[in-house]
Amino acid sequence: MDDLQPWLKAQQKQVDTALGGFLPRASAAPRTIHKAMRYSVFAGGKRLRPILCLAAAEACGGETEHALAPACATEIMHTYSLVHDDLPCMDDDDLRRGRPTSHKIFGEGMAVLTGDALLTEVFTIIAQTPSCKRYEVKDYVMEIASTGGSRRLIGGQVLDLEGEGQSLSKQNLIRIHEAKTAALLTSSVRLGGMTANATPRKLDALTTFGYNLGLAFQVIDDILDVTQTTEMLGKTAGKDEAVAKSTYPAILGLEKSRNEAARLTRKALKALDVFGKKGKRLEQIARYLLEREY
Ligand code: GRG
C-alpha cells in the first residue's frame, strides 16, 4: 500500500492534464459556459472513476494512453451529475468539492446548461477512444450511454426523488445505489478493460468488482456524511440526517454499515483473482476506499 499515494497523485495529474486538453478552453465563446464547465471539473474531485478506468486497463495489460479518453469521459459524466444533483430543484446544495456549487456562482440557468454541456462533451470525448480487436467506438459509446441513461444514473435519481420523505427498505436503497453510484464505477472499470481488449471473462470480473466496489463506496459515503465534518468532505456534512434521507447508517446503524462495506469490498477483491499481479492497483484502491476519510 506504501506506494499507492504517489501513484494516485501521478494518475490524478495525468487525468487533469488530459481533461484540460479535452474540454473547450475557458476563453472559447461563449466564455461563461466554458468557464462554468471548467469551474466544476477543476474544483478538486478525487478522480476516482478515471483512476479506476486506468487501473482496470493496467489489470488487463493495456496502455494508459488508450484509456485516457474513456477515463476523462467518466469524470465528466460524474461532474455533470454533481452539478445537476446540487441544483435547488434536486438536492439543493451550496457546497461541492470545497467550493460554492455551480448555480451559486453562475446562476441556476447556467448550471443547468453546464450539466447539459458536460454530458454532451462525454460523447465527443468517448468517440476519441482507439478501437481494439474486440471493441470499437460504438461499444464504448453504448457502455457509457447506457450508464448515463434512464435505467441507471437518471433512473437512480428518479427513485431518489420519489423516495424523499419516505423510509425505504434496504432493498430499495440498494436499487438506488446500484443505479446512482455503482453503475458509473462499474462502467469506469469496464471501459478501462475494453481499451485493453479484455476477454469476456475479464470483463465479467471487472463488472463484479465495479458493482461491489460501487456499493461499498456508497455505504462509506453514507457513513462519512454522519461521522465527518463539512470541511473534511468539501460538501455539507450531516445533510442526509437533516433531510431524513434513507441511508445505510439510518437503516442499519453505523457498525452494521461498516461491516456491510467490508463485506462488499471482500466480494470486490475476490473478483480480482483472474488478474493475478496485474490487479494490484485495483486491489489497493478497493482497500484504500474502505478506509478513506473523505
Ligand atoms: C443526472 C441529476 C442526475 C443525477 C444522477 C449520480 C447522481 C444521479 C447524482 C450525483 C450525486 C451523488 C450524491 C451521487 C452519489 C455518488 C457519490 C457518492 C458521489 C460523490 O463521489 P466522489 O466522492 O466525489 O467520488 P468527488 O467530488 O471526489 O469526485
Side-chain angles (χ1 to χ4, degrees):
M1 269 305 234
D2 284 355
D3 64 341
L4 181 65
Q5 287 308 323
W7 182 82
L8 285 176
K9 286 246 150 20
Q11 304 307 300
Q12 279 163 354
K13 208 169 152 204
Q14 200 167 189
V15 166
D16 281 359
T17 304
L19 282 167
F22 280 125
L23 285 172
R25 288 175 196 277
S27 58
R31 283 189 190 180
T32 324
I33 187 80
H34 299 127
K35 237 177 100 183
M37 287 161 78
R38 284 176 171 263
Y39 172 84
S40 288
V41 171
F42 294 108
K46 293 184 281 297
R47 308 301 193 216
L48 170 63
R49 293 148 191 84
I51 289 175
L52 281 169
C53 181
L54 300 182
E58 185 180 305
C60 297
E63 303 283 333
T64 297
E65 208 186 309
H66 295 170
L68 272 172
C72 291
T74 62
E75 181 64 21
I76 292 186
M77 182 169 275
H78 169 56
T79 307
Y80 128 75
S81 79
L82 298 179
V83 170
H84 278 189
D85 190 61
D86 288 333
L87 286 168
C89 60
M90 299 272 172
D91 250 13
D92 192 11
D93 230 310
D94 295 352
L95 193 70
R96 174 68 70 179
R97 294 177 161 174
R99 288 189 188 185
T101 41
S102 182
H103 63 272
K104 285 279 154 190
I105 301 288
F106 300 97
E108 225 176 300
M110 197 56 69
V112 170
L113 293 174
T114 298
D116 293 342
L118 287 172
L119 179 57
T120 309
E121 211 59 48
V122 165
F123 295 95
T124 311
I125 297 171
I126 200 89
Q128 296 175 53
T129 311
S131 298
C132 60
K133 222 168 162 192
R134 290 193 178 87
Y135 310 100
E136 45 187 289
V137 167
K138 81 166 168 34
D139 300 307
Y140 307 128
V141 171
M142 284 297 286
E143 177 69 35
I144 202 144
S146 64
T147 289
S150 53
R151 290 178 184 82
R152 301 217 169 84
L153 239 64
I154 290 176
Q157 188 77 349
V158 169
L159 295 177
D160 205 20
L161 276 179
E162 288 178 348
E164 268 180 12
Q166 291 183 38
S167 137
L168 300 179
S169 65
K170 187 179 163 202
Q171 206 43 51
N172 283 337
L173 188 62
I174 292 173
R175 267 191 209 114
I176 295 178
H177 292 174
E178 279 172 353
K180 270 186 72 167
T181 309
L184 189 51
L185 265 70
T186 304
S187 263
S188 301
V189 286
R190 280 175 55 88
L191 282 164
M194 287 162 79
T195 64
N197 200 33
T199 59
R201 181 165 168 247
K202 286 190 174 164
L203 208 55
D204 279 352
L206 288 173
T207 307
T208 306
F209 173 78
Y211 172 80
N212 287 289
L213 184 79
L215 288 184
F217 183 78
Q218 185 61 57
V219 178
I220 299 290
D221 195 75
D222 285 1
I223 293 173
L224 293 176
D225 184 76
V226 180
T227 58
Q228 274 297 5
T229 60
T230 296
E231 291 67 38
M232 192 73 177
L233 296 179
K235 59 183 178 181
T236 318
K239 180 96 191 289
D240 295 340
E241 211 173 344
V243 298
K245 194 167 182 167
S246 290
T247 62
Y248 273 90
I251 294 178
L252 298 179
L254 274 176
E255 201 188 326
K256 280 195 180 152
S257 299
R258 286 198 182 98
N259 293 341
E260 181 67 358
R263 186 188 68 80
L264 289 161
T265 303
R266 281 195 300 277
K267 273 185 102 170
L269 291 172
K270 184 84 194 93
L272 295 179
D273 287 354
V274 61
F275 301 106
K277 283 193 182 128
K278 286 191 179 144
K280 170 188 152 188
R281 291 301 180 195
L282 288 175
E283 180 189 336
Q284 286 181 324
I285 295 170
R287 292 190 194 282
Y288 166 69
L289 290 179
L290 186 61
E291 304 299 329
R292 73 193 169 104
E293 294 179 337
Y294 61 93

